[in-house]
Amino acid sequence: MPNLKFKRLLILSNSTKSANQFEFSETLNLITAVDNSVGKSTLVKLLFWGVGCEPTLDTNWSKTDSKTIVEFSVATGNYIVKRYKNQVSLKINESNFVDYEKITGEYSEKIAEILEFKALLPNRSTGLMETPPPAFYFLPFYIDKKRSWSKAWDNFEKLEQFSNWRSTIIKYHVGLLTPKHFELESDKAEKKETKNVVQAQIERIETTLEVVEEYIPHITNATIEAKKFEVLTEEIKVDLKNLLEEQEKILSQLTSLNGDRVYLEQQQIITEKIISELDKDYKFTIENIEEDEVECPLCGTVHENSIINRTSIMTDKSQAENQLESILNELDKITKKLSNANINLNKARESILQINEKYVINEEHPITRDIKSENSVKGDAIEYRYINFNQIIENIAGNSIKQNVLKDKIQKVNSVDILKKDIRKIGKEQKGLITIEDIEKINNSFSSIFSDYIELLDAEAVNISSIDSPLDYNKVIKEGGAAEGSRAILAYYLSIFTMVEEYGNEVKSALVIDTPNQQEQSDTNYEKIVNLLTNRTSKKTQILLCAMENEHLDQFKQKAKVITLTNDRLMLKSEYEKVKKVFDGK
């Protein structure tokens, strides 16, 4: 399994004219300081922020308006990521930088490709599978000083842009879900989307059928009447042929126009709602928000609240109003077309009525005509009862449209059935990717590794009898408490890290632990923590450990590259010009 190793971090703030740079060893790194508030946590957070994650950074840091460069390696490849706000640039080996306007989308896909991270999550809006941002890859490799010790899998912000992601991401990291699973899941999501589209079309067809029914006259003995109609003279057939075609054309036009009218009326309602919401948004930004930025509570995206952005709301409102005007104009056109179509329909009916009057034969005034048929002789008189040509023609024309629409509906219903079968087939294939034996093996391995770490960290007083799977992280947090509970939480994180190494399908990242001396560990227990990190982890693993100066760190310190932060904190004015040249040169 290839390893990701951080090589260098550069930080630059043009607003404060300060900067700094830090280089890291490929094995052990100790980030320490005499004072506990000089920026140890911020340093490692900026490593993750620099590659596209969203760690919790305090407002004082955000005001520095800083940018970063993170250099890292994977196997034989060298990578550089430059970030400012949400704009990132990526350089691979000796190639040129490629710029990305946002973290999500193409950049996330490229980073995932480099890190061999194949997990996909469903988009909240479309349901289609997409590559999540880098934070979802780095989750098992970072223990945050404040968030991670009280809630597992919560190292970064803005993770809730995807719903119910934890089970999927945990299973992928520990090998309970394979890359093939996500290939199939993506195919399944696309088929579900297609199925939903076709089902919406079926609903529209059903609406169309209801409209057609309004125009089809109901004839009690339509079959008998139609047969009588067929034996009429060629003269009648010629007279009625064009009317039949015209009736069908008009009815088809009416059906289409009514469908368009219903659609536009729905769009009118939606657009009017958008205009109302935009108006409320503008008033809200003026009256309620004093800051220059506002964060979306659902997806976590940070939006600017400048005059330009408030103007953009009014621009959006103006565009929506223009759209509404366009919709109303189209509705007016549709209404006029409907009126004209109904006028033409009435004209056709009048023409049919004239033919009725010409060929009506009733019981009171029988009329005879010469008609050639298989059962008649020229000149024979044949008497007919009254036949309503108008109803027959409309019935034939309407039913012709109805049959065509029903045929389309049947095809679409069959298509939905096929898609449902395909979706079930994919689900069955997914279940076969990991056998019950595989699942038991992975869970048993986790239990064994977790128990070993619990023993090594002397946290055996914590009840772990119900913790049987990597998914039982909440039980670990619940059982934990004070110093011993913190060691149990550390045992869980280290177990996940080990599981990634043994069963994962991805590049293994450096392990970053921010302040393991939680809950004021006793000297003996703190020494056990340091000893485990120093001597019981893989020699190929890069570790970045943040901790205050302590004699129990000596064994780690002797093997590590030590970065000591001074009271000048993280950023130094003396480094500004040197670091700025690097940024300008890249």
Side-chain angles (χ1 to χ4, degrees), residues 36-43 45-46 49 54-66 144 146 157 569-570:
N36 197 30
S37 59
V38 296
K40 301 186 304 298
S41 297
T42 301
L43 191 157
K45 285 180 179 181
L46 287 175
W49 184 86
E54 299 299 334
T56 304
L57 293 164
D58 60 43
T59 53
N60 289 332
W61 175 259
S62 300
K63 290 178 181 178
T64 64
D65 194 33
S66 297
D144 178 70
K146 293 182 178 179
E157 297 179 337
R569 301 202 175 198
L570 194 61

Side-chain angles (χ1 to χ4, degrees), residues 328-563:
L328 293 174
N329 289 336
E330 287 298 316
L331 268 174
D332 184 58
K333 292 177 182 177
I334 293 293
T335 302
K336 290 178 181 178
K337 289 180 180 179
L338 279 169
S339 176
N340 291 335
N342 279 301
I343 291 172
N344 292 334
L345 183 62
N346 289 332
K347 288 180 179 179
R349 285 172 173 166
E350 288 176 3
S351 298
I352 294 170
L353 184 60
Q354 291 175 3
I355 293 177
N356 270 332
E357 291 175 352
K358 181 177 180 181
Y359 293 103
V360 160
I361 305 169
N362 56 51
E363 293 179 349
E364 294 183 358
H365 301 285
I367 299 177
T368 61
R369 293 183 57 81
D370 291 337
I371 299 178
K372 293 181 180 179
S373 70
E374 294 180 0
N375 299 319
S376 67
V377 180
K378 185 176 181 179
D380 289 348
I382 300 176
E383 183 177 309
Y384 293 92
R385 294 180 181 274
Y386 175 78
I387 300 175
N388 190 328
F389 299 119
N390 190 1
Q391 287 189 346
I392 292 175
I393 293 171
E394 291 188 358
N395 184 270
I396 293 171
N399 277 298
S400 175
I401 297 172
K402 185 177 179 181
Q403 288 171 7
N404 290 334
V405 173
L406 280 172
K407 183 179 179 181
D408 188 28
K409 179 182 176 182
I410 290 170
Q411 291 175 342
K412 285 180 167 50
V413 169
N414 290 337
S415 177
V416 168
D417 289 340
I418 292 171
L419 287 166
K420 286 180 178 178
K421 290 178 182 178
D422 289 344
I423 291 168
R424 288 194 295 270
K425 183 178 179 182
I426 292 171
K428 186 176 180 180
E429 186 177 353
Q430 285 178 309
K431 289 180 180 179
L433 294 174
I434 295 288
T435 65
I436 294 175
E437 291 75 15
D438 293 332
I439 295 172
E440 289 179 352
K441 177 183 177 182
I442 291 173
N443 284 335
N444 289 338
S445 179
F446 167 80
S447 295
S448 176
I449 294 168
F450 182 53
S451 296
D452 287 345
Y453 281 132
I454 287 289
E455 183 178 352
L456 288 169
L457 294 172
D458 194 18
E460 293 171 294
V462 175
N463 184 2
I464 63 171
S465 60
S466 63
I467 302 170
D468 304 317
S469 160
L471 298 172
D472 292 333
Y473 56 91
N474 279 329
K475 296 179 182 179
V476 180
I477 300 296
K478 181 180 178 182
E479 294 296 338
E484 195 162 58
S486 296
R487 296 197 301 279
I489 293 169
L490 178 60
Y492 173 80
Y493 289 130
L494 293 175
S495 298
I496 295 296
F497 184 79
T498 304
M499 293 291 290
V500 172
E501 188 172 31
E502 291 192 15
Y503 298 102
N505 297 284
E506 63 204 72
V507 170
K508 189 181 73 172
S509 173
L511 177 62
V512 180
I513 303 177
D514 192 356
T515 316
N517 190 17
Q518 295 291 316
Q519 302 295 335
E520 297 299 328
Q521 301 289 332
S522 68
D523 291 345
T524 301
N525 287 326
Y526 191 34
E527 189 171 350
K528 288 179 179 179
I529 293 172
V530 175
N531 179 61
L532 190 156
L533 295 175
T534 307
N535 302 312
R536 298 298 294 266
T537 55
S538 170
K539 301 302 180 183
K540 296 180 181 180
T541 299
Q542 183 186 40
I543 296 179
L544 279 71
L545 180 66
C546 296
M548 290 291 295
E549 288 283 3
N550 188 300
E551 60 180 348
H552 298 297
L553 288 170
D554 287 347
Q555 58 176 317
F556 187 91
K557 193 174 184 179
Q558 290 172 5
K559 298 181 180 181
K561 175 169 184 176
V562 180
I563 298 174

Side-chain angles (χ1 to χ4, degrees), residues 223-254:
T223 304
I224 297 173
E225 296 292 341
K227 288 181 178 178
K228 291 179 180 179
F229 178 72
E230 289 175 0
V231 301
L232 290 176
T233 63
E234 289 299 323
E235 178 186 345
I236 298 176
K237 290 182 180 179
V238 171
D239 288 342
L240 295 180
K241 180 180 179 182
N242 292 335
L243 288 174
L244 175 62
E245 293 174 352
E246 186 176 356
Q247 281 275 76
E248 185 171 346
K249 181 179 178 181
I250 294 172
L251 286 170
S252 179
Q253 184 182 14
L254 282 168

